Amino acid sequence: MSRAVRPRAARKSPEERAAEIRAGAHDVALEGGLWAVTLRSVAARVGVTPALVAHYQPNMEVLVADTFTAVVAAEMAEVAGIIEPYSSPTDRLAALIHTLVETGRDDVTAVWLDGWSLGRRSAPLATAVRGQMDAWQHLVLGVVEAGCSTGEFTASDPQTVAWHLLGMVDGLSAQGLVSYRDPAARGRLITDALEHALGLPAGALASPESAPAPTPAPAP
């Protein structure tokens, strides 16, 4: 019986091949979670042999950790870009909350959940998860501290408020993966708690004002 012959992978530079493997792992993680990032799945996505993936990524724990970081850091950069145009800390916080609890982010939420679960037995992944949690804490803390400095917020402990917000977002987003309650109800739980913690009137975080349009670049 004849066997199917795998087409030979096109020759690429080591840098190109390594980047291709990282991109393949990234796509696999978003489609199937970190659990799905294996030698075989990444090789199949890229169209190479598992041995070639192993050559460029000899430690799969490190590849999974790096993939987690890439997925989560990309989302944080996106969210930072969404809230940056708002001049008011209250509107930035409202935009951040509503962006994170809206539908369409289940793939990244699943990667977070896998990171916490798999990180129990993987030191590289646990380190990556803690690093990204700290990065998110820093982003949220910046918004809360800005509101405190302008007098919009009255929190006595901005660090705790930021941690509180992230804990609620993480927990309620996880519940959303199994369609527990609707996104609007989950969002209200967060905004109601944050309004109380920050001394804001009820409804202040219900929705942000429209973000200002970007300033057009000057003509050359």
Side-chain angles (χ1 to χ4, degrees):
M1 180 180 296
S2 61
R3 299 177 61 186
V5 178
R6 179 192 295 268
R8 291 181 61 86
R11 186 175 295 277
K12 297 184 178 181
S13 71
E15 294 77 14
E16 290 174 320
R17 186 66 74 191
E20 185 180 54
I21 290 171
R22 289 194 297 270
H26 181 279
D27 292 344
V28 170
L30 284 176
E31 288 185 10
L34 291 181
W35 293 89
V37 180
T38 65
L39 277 176
R40 289 186 179 278
S41 66
V42 174
R45 175 56 59 96
V46 176
V48 298
T49 65
L52 188 60
V53 173
H55 173 74
Y56 284 95
Q57 294 286 348
N59 188 327
M60 284 302 296
E61 282 191 289
V62 172
L63 177 59
V64 169
D66 290 347
T67 300
F68 171 87
T69 296
V71 169
V72 171
E75 184 193 37
M76 189 175 71
E78 176 196 354
V79 173
I82 290 172
I83 70 173
E84 192 276 334
Y86 293 94
S87 58
S88 160
T90 299
D91 284 337
R92 285 203 296 274
L93 187 59
L96 185 147
I97 293 169
H98 289 277
T99 298
L100 290 179
V101 300
E102 71 185 14
T103 58
R105 296 183 180 275
D106 287 357
D107 50 0
V108 182
T109 298
V111 168
W112 270 109
L113 290 177
D114 288 349
W116 289 317
S117 179
L118 294 172
R120 295 179 303 158
R121 295 181 175 85
S122 170
L125 181 55
T127 298
V129 171
R130 290 193 297 269
Q132 290 306 305
M133 292 176 73
D134 284 344
W136 271 102
Q137 172 83 1
H138 180 75
L139 175 65
V140 176
L141 180 60
V143 177
V144 176
E145 287 182 332
C148 290
S149 67
T150 63
E152 290 181 48
F153 305 157
T154 59
S156 60
D157 188 351
Q159 285 271 4
T160 297
V161 172
W163 191 10
H164 185 184
L165 170 58
L166 291 173
M168 288 190 294
V169 168
D170 290 338
L172 292 171
S173 295
Q175 292 177 11
L177 289 180
V178 292
S179 302
Y180 186 70
R181 306 294 178 90
D182 63 275
R186 295 194 296 271
R188 284 193 299 272
L189 285 176
I190 296 173
T191 56
D192 289 353
L194 263 291
E195 287 164 359
H196 177 75
L198 297 173
L200 291 170
L205 297 174
S207 63
E209 298 293 331
S210 298
T215 303

